[in-house]
Coordinates of all heavy atoms in Angstrom, one line a residue:
Chain A
L1492 N 25.0 2.6 17.1 CA 26.3 2.3 17.7 C 26.5 0.8 17.9 O 27.5 0.3 17.2 CB 26.4 3.0 19.1 CG 27.7 2.9 19.7 CD1 28.9 3.6 19.0 CD2 27.7 3.4 21.2
Y1493 N 25.7 0.2 18.6 CA 26.1 -1.3 18.8 C 26.1 -2.1 17.6 O 27.0 -2.8 17.4 CB 25.0 -1.9 19.9 CG 25.1 -1.1 21.2 CD1 24.0 -1.0 22.0 CD2 26.2 -0.7 21.8 CE1 23.9 -0.4 23.2 CE2 26.3 0.0 23.0 CZ 25.1 0.2 23.8 OH 25.2 0.6 25.0
E1494 N 25.0 -2.0 16.9 CA 24.7 -2.9 15.8 C 26.0 -2.7 14.7 O 26.6 -3.7 14.3 CB 23.4 -2.8 15.1 CG 23.3 -4.1 14.1 CD 22.1 -3.8 13.3 OE1 21.3 -2.9 13.3 OE2 21.9 -4.7 12.4
P1495 N 26.3 -1.6 14.3 CA 27.4 -1.4 13.3 C 28.7 -1.9 13.9 O 29.6 -2.5 13.2 CB 27.5 0.1 13.1 CG 26.2 0.6 13.5 CD 25.6 -0.3 14.5
L1496 N 28.9 -1.7 15.2 CA 30.2 -2.2 15.9 C 30.3 -3.7 15.8 O 31.3 -4.3 15.6 CB 30.0 -1.6 17.2 CG 31.4 -1.1 17.8 CD1 31.4 0.4 17.8 CD2 31.6 -1.5 19.3
I1497 N 29.2 -4.3 16.2 CA 29.2 -5.7 16.3 C 29.4 -6.4 14.8 O 30.0 -7.3 14.7 CB 27.9 -6.3 17.0 CG1 27.8 -5.9 18.4 CG2 27.7 -7.8 16.9 CD1 26.5 -6.0 19.1
R1498 N 28.6 -5.8 13.9 CA 28.7 -6.3 12.6 C 30.2 -6.2 12.1 O 30.7 -7.1 11.4 CB 27.8 -5.4 11.7 CG 26.4 -5.6 11.8 CD 25.6 -5.6 10.6 NE 24.3 -5.9 10.7 CZ 23.8 -7.2 10.8 NH1 24.5 -8.2 10.7 NH2 22.5 -7.4 11.2
R1499 N 30.9 -5.1 12.5 CA 32.2 -5.0 11.9 C 33.1 -6.1 12.6 O 34.0 -6.7 11.8 CB 32.8 -3.6 12.2 CG 33.9 -3.3 11.3 CD 34.3 -1.8 11.4 NE 33.1 -1.0 11.4 CZ 32.9 0.2 12.1 NH1 33.9 0.6 13.0 NH2 31.9 0.9 12.1
A1500 N 32.9 -6.4 13.8 CA 33.8 -7.4 14.4 C 33.3 -8.8 14.2 O 34.1 -9.8 14.3 CB 33.6 -7.1 16.0
A1501 N 32.0 -8.9 13.8 CA 31.5 -10.3 13.6 C 31.9 -10.9 12.3 O 32.4 -10.4 11.5 CB 29.9 -10.3 13.8
G1502 N 31.5 -12.2 12.2 CA 31.6 -12.9 10.8 C 32.9 -13.7 10.7 O 34.0 -13.2 11.3
L1503 N 32.9 -14.7 9.9 CA 34.2 -15.5 9.8 C 34.7 -15.3 8.4 O 34.0 -15.6 7.4 CB 33.9 -16.9 10.0 CG 34.1 -17.5 11.5 CD1 33.5 -18.9 11.5 CD2 35.5 -17.4 11.9
G1504 N 35.7 -14.6 8.3 CA 36.2 -14.3 7.0 C 35.4 -13.2 6.3 O 34.6 -12.6 6.9
R1505 N 36.0 -12.7 5.1 CA 35.3 -11.5 4.5 C 34.9 -12.1 3.1 O 35.5 -12.8 2.4 CB 36.3 -10.5 4.3 CG 36.5 -9.6 5.4 CD 37.9 -8.9 5.4 NE 39.0 -9.8 5.3 CZ 40.3 -9.4 5.3 NH1 40.6 -8.2 5.1 NH2 41.2 -10.4 5.4
L1506 N 33.6 -11.6 2.8 CA 33.0 -12.0 1.5 C 33.7 -11.1 0.5 O 33.9 -10.0 0.6 CB 31.5 -11.7 1.4 CG 30.7 -12.7 1.9 CD1 29.2 -12.2 1.8 CD2 30.8 -14.0 1.1
P1507 N 34.1 -11.8 -0.7 CA 34.6 -11.0 -1.8 C 33.4 -10.1 -2.5 O 32.4 -10.5 -2.4 CB 35.0 -12.1 -2.8 CG 34.4 -13.3 -2.4 CD 34.1 -13.1 -1.0
R1508 N 33.8 -8.9 -2.8 CA 32.9 -7.9 -3.3 C 32.6 -8.1 -4.8 O 31.6 -7.8 -5.2 CB 33.2 -6.5 -3.1 CG 33.3 -6.2 -1.5 CD 31.9 -5.7 -1.0 NE 31.9 -5.6 0.3 CZ 30.9 -5.3 1.1 NH1 29.8 -4.8 0.4 NH2 30.9 -5.4 2.4
A1509 N 33.6 -8.7 -5.4 CA 33.5 -8.8 -6.9 C 32.7 -9.9 -7.2 O 32.3 -10.8 -6.6 CB 34.9 -9.0 -7.5
Y1510 N 32.1 -9.7 -8.6 CA 31.3 -10.9 -9.2 C 32.2 -12.0 -9.2 O 33.4 -12.2 -9.5 CB 31.1 -10.4 -10.7 CG 30.3 -11.3 -11.4 CD1 28.9 -11.5 -11.4 CD2 31.0 -12.2 -12.4 CE1 28.3 -12.3 -12.1 CE2 30.1 -13.2 -13.1 CZ 28.9 -13.2 -13.0 OH 28.2 -14.1 -13.8
D1511 N 31.4 -13.2 -8.7 CA 32.1 -14.5 -8.7 C 32.4 -15.2 -10.0 O 31.4 -15.7 -10.7 CB 31.4 -15.4 -7.7 CG 32.0 -16.8 -7.5 OD1 33.1 -16.9 -8.0 OD2 31.4 -17.6 -7.0
A1512 N 33.6 -15.2 -10.6 CA 33.8 -15.5 -11.9 C 33.9 -17.1 -12.0 O 34.1 -17.6 -13.1 CB 34.9 -14.8 -12.6
S1513 N 34.0 -17.8 -10.9 CA 34.3 -19.0 -11.0 C 33.2 -19.9 -11.6 O 32.0 -19.6 -11.6 CB 34.7 -19.7 -9.6 OG 33.4 -19.4 -8.8

Side-chain angles (χ1 to χ4, degrees):
Chain A
L1492 183 66
Y1493 297 147
E1494 196 192 353
L1496 221 101
I1497 292 170
R1498 285 212 180 281
R1499 206 168 312 144
L1503 269 174
R1505 280 160 294 178
L1506 273 180
R1508 295 269 163 180
Y1510 179 80
D1511 181 4
S1513 57

